[in-house]
């Protein structure tokens, strides 16, 4: 994977966690996350989003329930810490300072 795609993947993971951190109950769904990523300039297919969600789940940053075509995702406490910049992971972009 080239450096640009790796940077994009790390940014995609952070953007997912930041959106979940901002949601009530830290919960959203894959379709909304796809739209959110498009809105922040990280255009992503649903397959890319689902792949990143699987990676985030495998690493303990989110949990989700697969209800067929509807994937409900919730950030874990560790995922919220990453989104807020209180913890770091080398495979997730470090958040910039918020104003």
């Amino acid at each position: 994977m080239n450096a640009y795609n790796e940077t994009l993947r790390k940014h995609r993971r952070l953007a997912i966690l930041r959106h979940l951190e901002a949601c009530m109950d830290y919960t959203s769904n894959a379709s909304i996350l796809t739209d959110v990523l498009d809105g922040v300039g990280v255009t992503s297919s649903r397959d890319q989003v689902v792949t990143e969600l699987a990676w985030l789940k495998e690493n303990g940053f989110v949990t989700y329930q697969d209800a067929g075509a509807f994937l409900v995702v919730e950030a874990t406490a560790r995922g919220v810490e990453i989104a807020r910049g209180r913890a770091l992971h080398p495979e997730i972009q470090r958040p910039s300072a918020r104003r």
Side-chain angles (χ1 to χ4, degrees):
M1 180 172 292
N2 68 36
Y4 175 75
N5 286 335
E6 187 60 33
T7 298
L8 196 58
R9 172 175 274 171
K10 290 177 180 182
H11 187 81
R12 187 178 292 120
R13 292 170 180 167
L14 175 62
I16 289 169
L17 292 174
R18 284 184 117 173
H19 176 73
L20 291 171
E21 186 265 337
C23 290
M24 180 182 277
D25 297 328
Y26 306 116
T27 303
S28 190
N29 68 62
S31 295
I32 290 173
L33 289 168
T34 302
D35 291 343
V36 166
L37 289 171
D38 287 348
V40 297
V42 186
T43 302
S44 306
S45 69
R46 181 173 168 82
D47 285 345
Q48 287 173 315
V49 172
V50 170
T51 297
E52 296 308 336
L53 291 174
W55 185 91
L56 290 165
K57 181 179 181 180
E58 189 176 293
N59 286 277
F61 300 114
V62 302
T63 61
Y64 60 77
Q65 297 174 356
D66 190 348
F70 199 71
L71 197 65
V72 179
V73 185
E74 181 179 356
T76 64
R78 188 168 179 229
V80 171
E81 286 181 341
I82 294 285
R84 292 179 178 166
R86 294 183 181 158
L88 301 175
H89 188 282
E91 296 300 317
I92 300 174
Q93 183 169 328
R94 181 179 182 185
S96 58
R98 292 189 181 182
R99 297 174 196 224

